[in-house]
Amino acid sequence: MAAHQLSMEARTGRSNQRYGSQGERLVAGIVPLSSDKYYVLLIQSTRRGGWVLPKGGWETDEATAQDAAKREAWEEAGIICKITYDLGLIPEKRKPEELTAQAPKAAYHFFEGTVEKQEAQWPEMHKRARQWMTFSQATQALADRPELLDALNRCTMHR
C-alpha cells in the first residue's frame, strides 16, 4: 500500500465485517517492530485507555487478513509495515462475562511486521497516542490483554 493511496478516513462500523463459522468476529492484527527488533509500537485503546497492538475487523473487500492488518496499522498507528511473519491464529481468551455487544467474541490472526514508515498524520491521530516500547515494557502494558500478549510472545523481537 503506497502512502499516497492511504485514506485519511478510518473505516467504522461492522457492515463489511467477516465472521467465522461459530459466529465470531474475524480480527486481524499486527505486532509492529522497529527494524532492529528492539522496539514494538503500541497504541492507546480508545475503549479502555490502556495500550494495545493495532488490530481490527477483517472486512469482506480485503482479500487477505494481511491486507486488513496493514490497513489497521495505518488507520490506528499511522505506520506503513512490511509483513515479515504470520504469527497464526489466537483464540478468544476473554471470559463470557467480559464479552459485550461492542466487543463480541473474536478470533485473532496476528502478523509480525517491520515498520517502514511512521507518518506524522494518520486517520486516528486525534483518538490515539502511540509509543515505542521494549519487550518488557510491552509485556507489562499488555498484561490484562492475554490475546495481545500471546501475539507479542510469538514475535521475533529481542527479549
Side-chain angles (χ1 to χ4, degrees):
M1 223 188 303
H4 63 274
Q5 297 172 308
L6 296 172
S7 171
M8 282 303 283
E9 283 294 308
R11 294 183 180 196
T12 57
R14 300 230 168 109
S15 54
N16 295 324
Q17 170 66 56
R18 287 183 192 250
Y19 292 91
S21 59
Q22 312 297 303
E24 72 279 19
R25 228 178 123 224
L26 298 182
V27 173
I30 193 160
V31 181
L33 302 181
S34 57
S35 56
D36 64 6
K37 295 190 179 189
Y38 278 98
Y39 298 94
V40 59
L41 188 69
L42 297 191
I43 57 169
Q44 220 158 17
S45 166
T46 56
R47 236 180 233 112
R48 298 158 62 171
W51 295 99
V52 295
L53 293 165
K55 61 172 180 42
W58 175 13
E59 301 194 349
T60 51
D61 65 342
E62 293 168 313
T64 67
Q66 279 192 20
D67 291 341
K70 291 201 292 194
R71 175 181 52 79
E72 292 294 343
W74 165 248
E75 289 180 359
E76 296 184 346
I79 52 177
I80 313 295
C81 291
K82 177 180 195 264
I83 301 286
T84 50
Y85 293 103
D86 184 333
L87 300 176
L89 299 173
I90 297 174
E92 180 63 72
K93 294 176 190 283
R94 288 173 294 170
K95 298 175 186 74
E97 62 270 17
E98 295 176 296
L99 302 173
T100 66
Q102 290 75 37
K105 182 175 180 175
Y108 303 89
H109 193 163
F110 269 90
F111 299 90
E112 178 179 313
T114 302
V115 176
E116 297 188 317
K117 200 164 185 198
Q118 182 175 323
E119 297 291 354
Q121 296 189 322
W122 71 97
E124 296 188 11
M125 63 187 284
H126 301 295
K127 291 202 291 198
R128 300 179 189 274
R130 59 188 179 188
Q131 188 172 322
W132 288 100
M133 296 187 190
T134 63
F135 182 79
S136 62
Q137 289 170 329
T139 299
Q140 287 179 314
L142 299 175
D144 66 339
R145 297 298 299 269
E147 72 286 0
L148 304 183
L149 202 49
D150 192 344
L152 181 69
N153 283 320
R154 292 181 187 195
C155 85
T156 64
M157 82 179 289
H158 296 288
R159 267 48 177 179

